[in-house]
CSV table of all heavy atoms in Angstrom, one decimal:
chain,number,residue,atom,x,y,z
A,8,HIS,N,-2.2,-1.1,-9.5
A,8,HIS,CA,-3.2,-0.8,-8.5
A,8,HIS,C,-2.6,-0.4,-7.2
A,8,HIS,O,-2.0,0.7,-7.2
A,8,HIS,CB,-4.1,-2.1,-8.4
A,8,HIS,CG,-5.4,-1.8,-7.7
A,8,HIS,ND1,-6.2,-0.8,-8.2
A,8,HIS,CD2,-6.0,-2.3,-6.6
A,8,HIS,CE1,-7.3,-0.7,-7.4
A,8,HIS,NE2,-7.2,-1.6,-6.4
A,9,ALA,N,-2.6,-1.2,-6.2
A,9,ALA,CA,-1.9,-0.8,-4.9
A,9,ALA,C,-0.8,-1.7,-4.6
A,9,ALA,O,-0.4,-1.8,-3.4
A,9,ALA,CB,-3.0,-0.8,-3.8
A,49,HIS,N,-5.9,-3.9,4.1
A,49,HIS,CA,-7.3,-4.3,4.5
A,49,HIS,C,-7.7,-5.5,3.6
A,49,HIS,O,-6.9,-6.0,2.8
A,49,HIS,CB,-8.3,-3.1,4.3
A,49,HIS,CG,-8.4,-2.6,2.9
A,49,HIS,ND1,-7.4,-2.1,2.1
A,49,HIS,CD2,-9.5,-2.6,2.0
A,49,HIS,CE1,-7.8,-1.7,0.9
A,49,HIS,NE2,-9.1,-2.0,0.8
A,51,HIS,N,-10.1,-6.2,1.3
A,51,HIS,CA,-10.7,-6.3,0.0
A,51,HIS,C,-10.0,-7.1,-1.0
A,51,HIS,O,-8.7,-7.0,-1.0
A,51,HIS,CB,-11.0,-4.8,-0.5
A,51,HIS,CG,-12.1,-4.1,0.2
A,51,HIS,ND1,-12.1,-2.7,0.3
A,51,HIS,CD2,-13.1,-4.6,1.0
A,51,HIS,CE1,-13.2,-2.4,1.0
A,51,HIS,NE2,-13.8,-3.5,1.5
A,53,ASP,N,-9.2,-6.6,-4.1
A,53,ASP,CA,-8.2,-5.9,-4.9
A,53,ASP,C,-7.0,-5.6,-4.0
A,53,ASP,O,-6.1,-4.8,-4.5
A,53,ASP,CB,-8.8,-4.7,-5.5
A,53,ASP,CG,-9.4,-3.6,-4.6
A,53,ASP,OD1,-10.0,-4.0,-3.6
A,53,ASP,OD2,-9.1,-2.4,-4.8
A,54,HIS,N,-6.8,-6.2,-2.9
A,54,HIS,CA,-5.6,-6.0,-2.1
A,54,HIS,C,-5.1,-7.3,-1.5
A,54,HIS,O,-3.9,-7.3,-1.0
A,54,HIS,CB,-5.9,-5.0,-0.9
A,54,HIS,CG,-6.3,-3.7,-1.4
A,54,HIS,ND1,-5.5,-2.6,-1.4
A,54,HIS,CD2,-7.5,-3.3,-1.9
A,54,HIS,CE1,-6.1,-1.6,-2.0
A,54,HIS,NE2,-7.3,-1.9,-2.3
A,110,HIS,N,-11.9,3.8,5.6
A,110,HIS,CA,-12.3,3.0,4.4
A,110,HIS,C,-13.2,1.9,5.0
A,110,HIS,O,-13.8,2.1,6.1
A,110,HIS,CB,-11.1,2.4,3.8
A,110,HIS,CG,-11.3,1.8,2.4
A,110,HIS,ND1,-11.7,2.4,1.3
A,110,HIS,CD2,-11.0,0.5,2.0
A,110,HIS,CE1,-11.7,1.6,0.3
A,110,HIS,NE2,-11.4,0.4,0.7
A,139,ASP,N,-6.1,2.1,1.3
A,139,ASP,CA,-7.3,2.7,0.7
A,139,ASP,C,-7.8,3.6,1.8
A,139,ASP,O,-8.1,3.2,2.9
A,139,ASP,CB,-8.4,1.7,0.4
A,139,ASP,CG,-8.1,1.0,-0.9
A,139,ASP,OD1,-7.0,1.1,-1.5
A,139,ASP,OD2,-9.0,0.3,-1.4
A,166,PHE,N,-13.6,5.3,-4.7
A,166,PHE,CA,-13.4,4.4,-3.6
A,166,PHE,C,-12.5,4.9,-2.5
A,166,PHE,O,-12.5,4.3,-1.4
A,166,PHE,CB,-13.0,3.0,-4.0
A,166,PHE,CG,-13.8,2.3,-5.1
A,166,PHE,CD1,-13.3,2.0,-6.3
A,166,PHE,CD2,-15.2,2.0,-4.8
A,166,PHE,CE1,-14.1,1.3,-7.2
A,166,PHE,CE2,-16.0,1.3,-5.7
A,166,PHE,CZ,-15.4,1.0,-6.9
A,167,THR,N,-11.7,5.9,-2.9
A,167,THR,CA,-10.7,6.4,-2.0
A,167,THR,C,-10.7,7.9,-2.2
A,167,THR,O,-11.4,8.4,-3.1
A,167,THR,CB,-9.2,5.9,-2.2
A,167,THR,OG1,-8.8,6.4,-3.5
A,167,THR,CG2,-9.2,4.4,-2.2
A,189,HIS,N,-3.8,3.2,-6.7
A,189,HIS,CA,-5.3,3.0,-6.7
A,189,HIS,C,-6.0,3.9,-7.7
A,189,HIS,O,-6.9,4.6,-7.4
A,189,HIS,CB,-5.9,3.2,-5.3
A,189,HIS,CG,-7.0,2.3,-5.0
A,189,HIS,ND1,-8.3,2.5,-5.3
A,189,HIS,CD2,-7.0,1.0,-4.4
A,189,HIS,CE1,-9.1,1.6,-4.9
A,189,HIS,NE2,-8.4,0.6,-4.4
A,193,PHE,N,-9.9,0.3,-12.7
A,193,PHE,CA,-11.3,0.1,-13.0
A,193,PHE,C,-11.9,1.4,-13.6
A,193,PHE,O,-11.3,2.5,-13.2
A,193,PHE,CB,-12.1,-0.3,-11.8
A,193,PHE,CG,-11.4,-1.4,-10.9
A,193,PHE,CD1,-10.9,-1.0,-9.6
A,193,PHE,CD2,-11.2,-2.7,-11.3
A,193,PHE,CE1,-10.3,-2.0,-8.8
A,193,PHE,CE2,-10.6,-3.6,-10.5
A,193,PHE,CZ,-10.1,-3.3,-9.3
B,302,MN,MN1,-9.1,-1.0,-3.1
Side-chain angles (χ1 to χ4, degrees):
H8 200 51
H49 66 295
H51 289 157
D53 61 317
H54 299 259
H110 192 64
D139 282 11
F166 300 120
T167 66
H189 215 276
F193 315 113

